[in-house]
Amino acid sequence: MTEKQTSILKAALELFAQEGFKSTSTSKVAKRAGVSEGLIFRHFDNKDGLLQAIIQQGEERARLLFADIVLETDPKEVVRKTLEMGKKTSMVKEEADFWKLQFKIKWELEQYGAYKMEPLLNALINAFIKLGYDEPELEANFLTVFLDGLATRFYLDKTFDMDAVLNFAKAKYGV
Amino acid sequence: MTEKQTSILKAALELFAQEGFKSTSTSKVAKRAGVSEGLIFRHFDNKDGLLQAIIQQGEERARLLFADIVLETDPKEVVRKTLEMGKKTSMVKEEADFWKLQFKIKWELEQYGAYKMEPLLNALINAFIKLGYDEPELEANFLTVFLDGLATRFYLDKTFDMDAVLNFAKAKYGV
Amino acid sequence: MTEKQTSILKAALELFAQEGFKSTSTSKVAKRAGVSEGLIFRHFDNKDGLLQAIIQQGEERARLLFADIVLETDPKEVVRKTLEMGKKTSMVKEEADFWKLQFKIKWELEQYGAYKMEPLLNALINAFIKLGYDEPELEANFLTVFLDGLATRFYLDKTFDMDAVLNFAKAKYGV
Amino acid sequence: MTEKQTSILKAALELFAQEGFKSTSTSKVAKRAGVSEGLIFRHFDNKDGLLQAIIQQGEERARLLFADIVLETDPKEVVRKTLEMGKKTSMVKEEADFWKLQFKIKWELEQYGAYKMEPLLNALINAFIKLGYDEPELEANFLTVFLDGLATRFYLDKTFDMDAVLNFAKAKYGV
DNA sequence: AATGAATGAGTCTTCATTCAT
DNA sequence: GATGAATGAAGACTCATTCAT
């Protein structure tokens, strides 16, 4: 990955996250990245390839993000870390852009990519089993649905008080 | 609202919901609506005006949808009806398109429009007060977040079993 | 066929004939036709559609051109008119462009379109039968091959003296 | 001429013959030749230089091809060999490509290069003189025109039966 | 109200060519 | 000699919008 490749990816990430994939022209990406437009196509074949490259990075980041949770043995910690995932991924601007884009793309492409969540889901199921919940699987699913809602609100609703709801949720689960 | 105006709005709704706002050209809308392209601009000024008209319809529909819940006096019924809102709005194809579009647009425009939810939120708060919940406001917020997650999953994750999670949630709230 | 459509077709014909299909940009065509570039696509779908429109015109013109020969009853006249076809089609500039383009395209697309020649070929076979030639079919084929050579030379070889060779050929066939 | 130079020329020949000069990108040539794109420009300056190199090769090959005819003393053999030139040059795939390209280029560049044919033309004139033809010069010209037609048909008309017409022509000339 | 021809700016993409290594 | 990253201009095509009818 050369320096210019990185700057293209960075510029694309920012713009796609801000304006959306379709609304961002390759010429804008090139301008912000400080490279010629042609270079985008040499490295990523086409605009879609650029998006795919970003999505792939997303999968890697997701794996990294999940690793910390999946490897946790204390079930309460699993639940707590899962809930706080959203906060963790929104502190740094670049990272916030990144995850926002992942959600935006989901709606623009109408692909959820449930498989990416599977490791996390399993970790949650295990945790709920250990914690003696009656229906650990449903409980885990419920929680991931809530997380999706959390992201939606966090990224779209400027008036949303994430901390309050988050603390409330943590209390609910006793974590 | 003339007949042609209606058919333009209908065509736009379908296409925007399927392909997204940016990806749908006015010419496609005109073709599907069976009218000339120029007519769209005479009636809605520009492409954005067309979107605004649809969004406005959305607000009216939302009010209608919420009315049934807001007017309910039995608190359990309020919670139950709220939870089942998603199912109710996804039975008819045209309606499913409609609500899907509302979510798509939220992400494309990055406007949540929290004010639209206020009547529902208040109804929920009241219900939770009546039901004796400790923190009715947070409880209500938590529930709306969950609902947003539910919509996300329902519209994007083909493998998602909404009924299972929904029944589980209803059991949780004892409704 | 509106006025602008005609002027697009005319400009395209000239340019394709002069510079070749691939080497002529749609923007050049638009400029010469005095219309916006977009209009080309509204009327002919794509650059290829523009070419097809010209080719189709070509087929019609060819039918017209052949009609005079095919309807001729005097066999000597059939042969003579066939031989002079080349001269006839090269007097007016616009027509010369047109037929030159037909040949250019053949080489660019590698399609001969033998079926277009069939009526002429049959007329020639009949003529040679009437004239008592031993192998009328081969004789007719030989003549059409010669005609193709004539066109090649006429359009490409500036030093070529068509009249001399043509008179010689006419003498050969006694017409 | 280094090995890489040769492979560039070979790749260019094949591609230009198949797709045409304008339609073949230098990057395609480089890829097929298995060299970097830059190397083409180091060796041939620009895309046009590449074409010129191929054309020049064409002249050498033409000289070689004509030599056998020009040096022939038997006039009948001269005519026969001339007629069979087309067949001879189309047996080997690489050679067929080569001559096809020469014709394609003629039409793309609109340069006939009559001077290349001169030695052959003179040989034919001489032959027709020896054979006692009335107008040897015109006869020779007529024959070369026919040859151009033969090539046109052979390369473009898939349904064309070259052997039949060729044998007929040979019979005509009694060779 | 309604049409559809027409526009011009913009989109993604290709391509010949250059240049540092 | 050889590579391949990088460029800038140009290519085909799309699209929101206007306007005469």
Side-chain angles (χ1 to χ4, degrees), chain B residues 66-85:
Chain B
F66 293 168
D68 182 42
I69 300 172
V70 170
L71 298 172
E72 178 65 56
T73 48
D74 178 355
K76 286 204 173 186
E77 271 300 281
V78 170
V79 175
R80 199 188 56 78
K81 282 184 173 173
T82 301
L83 279 166
E84 288 200 321
M85 207 168 58

Side-chain angles (χ1 to χ4, degrees), chain C residues 10 14 40 53 64 81 99 104 107 113-114 121 124 126 128 131 136-138 146 151-153 158-159 164-165 168:
Chain C
K10 188 169 171 289
E14 286 167 17
I40 293 176
L64 234 71
K81 282 182 173 174
W99 291 106
K104 270 196 125 142
W107 280 99
L121 192 65
L124 283 172
N126 263 316
F128 284 124
L131 292 169
E137 203 166 327
L138 282 167
F146 172 72
T152 303
R153 279 296 248 288
K158 309 288 182 221
T159 71
V165 176
F168 179 70

Side-chain angles (χ1 to χ4, degrees), chain C residues 17-19 22-24 100 103-104 106-114 117 121 133 135 138-139 141-142 144-153 155-160 164-165 168-169 171-173, chain D residues 17-19 22-24 100 103-104 106-114 117 121 133 135 138-142 144-153 155-160 164-165 168-169 172-173:
Chain C
Q18 276 164 38
E19 330 237 343
K22 202 74 206 297
S23 296
T24 302
K100 180 171 159 193
F103 274 89
K104 270 196 125 142
K106 277 182 193 174
W107 280 99
E108 215 166 329
L109 271 58
E110 298 201 15
Q111 291 169 351
Y112 185 73
M117 298 288 278
L121 192 65
Y133 276 69
E135 306 200 74
L138 282 167
E139 199 72 54
N141 264 302
F142 181 92
T144 62
V145 167
F146 172 72
L147 283 175
D148 278 328
L150 215 55
T152 303
R153 279 296 248 288
Y155 286 118
L156 296 185
D157 182 358
K158 309 288 182 221
T159 71
F160 182 60
V165 176
F168 179 70
K172 254 186 190 274
Y173 288 103
Chain D
Q18 277 164 38
E19 328 244 345
K22 200 73 207 296
S23 295
T24 302
K100 180 173 160 191
F103 274 89
K104 270 195 125 147
K106 275 182 194 173
W107 279 99
E108 216 167 330
L109 270 58
E110 297 199 18
Q111 293 168 350
Y112 186 73
M117 297 288 276
L121 191 66
Y133 276 69
E135 306 199 73
L138 282 168
E139 198 73 55
N141 265 303
F142 181 92
T144 62
V145 168
F146 173 72
L147 282 176
D148 277 328
L150 216 54
T152 302
R153 280 298 248 288
Y155 286 118
L156 296 185
D157 181 359
K158 309 286 182 223
T159 70
F160 183 59
V165 176
F168 180 70
K172 253 185 191 272
Y173 289 104

